[in-house]
């Protein structure tokens, strides 16, 4: 009841014409930028940050919610028509979605993705509405030791599930943690790794690193591969509508995908890779036509795409209620909160109910608007795919540098952007995942703060992390996540199969 | 051009770089003063992270020599394009405050387009000019941000407000 009152208050905030305008603008440009090849949701959110600087926080986050969901919708269009998944969550969608596009069933693939995203997004937003306040209640029981353990768990899962090898994931994570050290130590005021450059005292901005890795690194990589790769775009033709059979084969995968996506996204173990892969496997097992999988089965688009969107909503639960980002996109959203001097967590629900509930309400609104934007207007978005590559990437770099420069209006940020971009190119070539770096950069300093707080309370006794049952449990789970796969790999011997996701971008 | 062998070299380089970063952070931290009167000073986390980097770097080096490579079939890379794009970024950041946002970013636009194989210099220039000018107008007048006009033009053009 309490929750419904809060939510209806949120709708009152979000439905004012002024905020509704920002929500509409958010979903529209979120879709437009998300559709562009090479731009996933994380980069979309990072590139569109400057647009919100002049807004007051509530409107800014209402717009963000729209951008976030819009980028998810736009990303599925790119993966289906171009086989260019902008982030790891749409890799599975791309397999069968692109196969459908080859067979001239691109419109049906886009439709099942859009309707599935709408259903999953809406159900998952309902779940978020009720789960987030529960998590807030739980969070109030947490002390610094538990927070630290939770952050360790989040860092471990982001690292362990991504990429082709654990050491690559860890290299990315520790690089991010090292970048997080730069700047003034909050507790003692001492400068760390700043090399006497005053601009570095405030630390390295998460947004600069994310844009450097996702935009500059990626553009450099595409530039280096440009001559050796050809792209095919499949035009939409024939009937635009899903047949009766399409519907009957889609609706169950939508619901099952939602059921998989939200809980896994909401766990601090988060991420969208696991639920989308699980959804694919589940649908293949349950399908009457398992032989079609990989060759354009509509279930294999409907399920994973629903799972992807549901986990995107799920990710917001730990972000809003615990201040815990579990994906690169969530890390950038957290950076956006910090930009406004806000720290997501239990207190945010008390101090800024307008913002939190307005944002949640606008997720419902945004989802509805996106269904309208994506079903009838999909032809317009498809046109964005044919922008000539030289202009597309030139434009991406212009806006990437604009975003980095306008953060603090200084050229040092552009220097950092360049360095991170070149490193990002190297990571891309050597198949090192970049998401752990972004999450590590923003979580590292927060984890350090909780760690030191916990030890200050325990007067320096490090056992505090192991004597609190909750903290111990979280740390044990984190350790198992690292150890179990290694043990499995060793017992399986050397005939280990090539990992499915060895070419992840994020 | 990169073959499997070059990639193996890169792989070893990655391990070495991670290792070196760890050693560097440990050294820098050693030089920095600790803090009195706090339970955990500002040096513990840097040491932990440095240790992590060293261990991961060593393990990457081991993997590189054990022969597990990311792209088994090798990977062709056009380094000319990479150098061109990154040079474009350097030129933009060097010229940004002197020439201003519009000219500096138009140059970036043209260089990147060239790196992606465009040969229509004039059209690229016009398009870049239109895009950067539109961004300038939108952000400086619509959204109250400050993209630089450029020191050279400052004396000619009045302040935006």
């Amino acid at each position: 009841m309490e929750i419904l009152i809060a939510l209806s208050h949120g709708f009152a905030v979000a439905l004012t014409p002024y905020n509704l305008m920002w929500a509409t603008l958010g979903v529209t440009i979120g879709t437009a930028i998300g559709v562009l090849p090479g731009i996933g949701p994380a980069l979309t959110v990072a590139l569109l940050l400057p647009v919100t600087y002049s807004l007051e926080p509530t409107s800014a986050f209402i717009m963000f919610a729209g951008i976030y969901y819009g980028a998810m919708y736009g990303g599925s269009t790119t993966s289906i028509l171009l086989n260019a998944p902008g982030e790891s969550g749409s890799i599975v969608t791309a397999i069968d979605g692109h196969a459908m596009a080859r067979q001239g069933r691109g419109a049906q693939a886009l439709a099942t993705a859009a309707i599935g995203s709408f259903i999953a997004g809406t159900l998952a937003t309902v779940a978020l509405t009720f789960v987030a306040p529960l998590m807030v209640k739980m969070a109030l029981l947490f002390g610094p030791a538990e927070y630290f353990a939770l952050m360790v768990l989040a860092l471990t899962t982001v690292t362990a599930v991504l990429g082709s090898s654990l050491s690559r994931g860890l290299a990315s994570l520790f690089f991010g943690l090292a970048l997080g050290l730069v700047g003034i130590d909050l507790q003692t005021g001492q400068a760390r790794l700043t090399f006497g450059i005053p601009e570095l005292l405030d630390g390295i901005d998460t947004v600069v690193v994310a844009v450097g890795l996702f935009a500059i690194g990626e553009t450099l990589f595409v530039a280096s591969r440009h001559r050796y790769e050809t792209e095919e775009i499949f035009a939409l033709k024939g009937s635009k509508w899903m047949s009766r059979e399409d519907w009957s084969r889609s609706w169950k995968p939508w619901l099952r995908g939602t059921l998989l996506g939200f809980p896994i996204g909401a766990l601090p173990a988060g991420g969208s890779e696991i639920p989308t892969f699980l959804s694919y496997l589940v649908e293949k097992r349950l399908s009457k036509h398992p032989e079609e999988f990989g060759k354009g089965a509509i279930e294999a688009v409907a399920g994973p795409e629903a799972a992807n969107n549901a986990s995107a909503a799920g990710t917001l639960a730990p972000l809003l209620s615990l201040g815990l980002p579990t994906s690169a996109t969530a890390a950038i959203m957290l950076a956006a909160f910090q930009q406004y001097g806000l720290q997501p967590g239990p207190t945010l629900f008390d101090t800024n109910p307008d913002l939190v509930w307005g944002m949640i309400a606008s997720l419902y609104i945004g989802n509805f608007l996106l269904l309208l934007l994506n079903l009838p207007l999909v032809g317009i978005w498809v046109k964005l795919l044919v922008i000539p590559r030289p202009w597309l990437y030139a434009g991406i770099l212009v806006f990437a540098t604009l975003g980095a420069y306008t953060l603090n209006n200084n050229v040092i940020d552009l220097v950092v952007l360049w360095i991170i971009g070149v490193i990002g190119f190297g990571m891309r070539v050597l198949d090192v995942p970049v998401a752990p770096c972004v999450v590590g950069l923003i979580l590292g300093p927060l984890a350090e703060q909780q760690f030191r707080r916990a030890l200050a309370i325990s007067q320096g006794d490090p056992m505090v992390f192991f004597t609190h049952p909750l903290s111990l449990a979280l740390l044990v789970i984190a350790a198992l996540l690292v150890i179990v796969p290694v043990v499995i790999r060793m017992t399986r011997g050397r005939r280990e199969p090539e990992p499915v996701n060895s070419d992840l971008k994020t | 051009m990169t073959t499997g062998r070059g990639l193996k070299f890169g792989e070893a380089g990655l391990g070495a770089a991670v290792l070196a970063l760890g050693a560097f952070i440990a050294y820098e931290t050693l030089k920095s003063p600790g803090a009195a009167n706090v339970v955990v000073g500002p040096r513990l986390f840097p040491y932990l992270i440095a240790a992590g980097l060293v261990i991961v770097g060593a393990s990457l080096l081991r993997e590189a020599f054990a022969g597990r490579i990311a792209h088994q079939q090798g990977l062709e890379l056009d380094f000319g394009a990479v150098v061109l794009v990154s040079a474009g970024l350097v030129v933009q950041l060097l010229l940004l405050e002197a020439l201003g946002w519009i000219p500096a970013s138009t140059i970036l636009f043209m260089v990147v387009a060239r790196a992606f194989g465009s040969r229509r210099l004039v059209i690229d220039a016009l398009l870049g000019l239109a895009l950067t000018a539109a961004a300038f107008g939108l952000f400086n007048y619509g959204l109250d941000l400050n993209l630089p006009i450029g020191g050279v033009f400052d004396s000619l053009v009045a302040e935006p407000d």
Side-chain angles (χ1 to χ4, degrees), chain A residues 167-168 190 192 224-225 391, chain B residues 11 33 42 63 76 78 124:
Chain A
S167 24
R168 283 190 170 72
Q190 189 183 313
R192 295 192 295 199
S224 76
R225 298 284 302 147
W391 295 343
Chain B
E11 202 100 333
E63 272 182 33
E76 302 279 320
D78 174 4
D124 290 349

Side-chain angles (χ1 to χ4, degrees), chain A residues 158 162 168-169 172-173 176 209-210 213-214 218 328 423-425 427-428 431-440 504-506:
Chain A
V158 169
L162 284 169
R168 283 190 170 72
S172 174
L173 172 68
V209 173
L213 294 174
F214 287 110
E218 181 68 17
I423 293 174
F425 167 68
M427 291 168 75
R428 192 73 178 76
D431 212 13
V432 177
V434 296
C437 175
V438 178
V439 178
L504 289 195
K505 279 185 183 173
T506 43

Side-chain angles (χ1 to χ4, degrees), chain B residues 9-147:
Chain B
F9 188 71
E11 202 100 333
L14 171 70
V18 171
L19 199 78
L21 180 65
F24 175 71
I25 290 174
Y27 172 73
E28 282 288 319
T29 310
L30 202 65
K31 277 200 317 186
S32 73
N37 303 328
V38 277
V39 183
V40 185
R43 301 206 292 182
L44 178 69
F45 252 61
Y47 278 134
L48 289 178
I49 291 168
L53 284 166
V54 168
I55 295 169
V56 173
S59 128
L60 282 170
L61 271 177
R62 198 186 57 83
E63 272 182 33
F65 288 109
R68 261 187 106 246
I69 313 182
H71 300 271
Q72 299 289 350
Q73 308 85 9
L75 191 67
E76 302 279 320
L77 295 174
D78 174 4
F79 278 104
V82 175
V83 170
L84 200 54
V85 172
S86 48
L89 286 164
V90 173
V91 169
Q92 184 214 26
L93 76 89
L94 289 178
L95 295 181
L96 187 62
E97 293 195 330
L99 282 187
W101 164 260
I102 298 177
S105 306
T106 303
I107 295 172
L108 172 68
F109 188 95
M110 291 169 66
V111 172
V112 178
R114 181 69 195 83
F116 277 87
S118 169
R119 293 186 185 281
R120 292 174 287 183
L121 270 184
V122 177
I123 296 179
D124 290 349
L126 290 176
L127 203 62
L129 205 59
L131 186 72
T132 54
F136 187 86
L138 178 69
F139 281 84
N140 281 30
Y141 299 104
L143 297 169
D144 278 340
L145 293 174
N146 290 307
L147 291 169

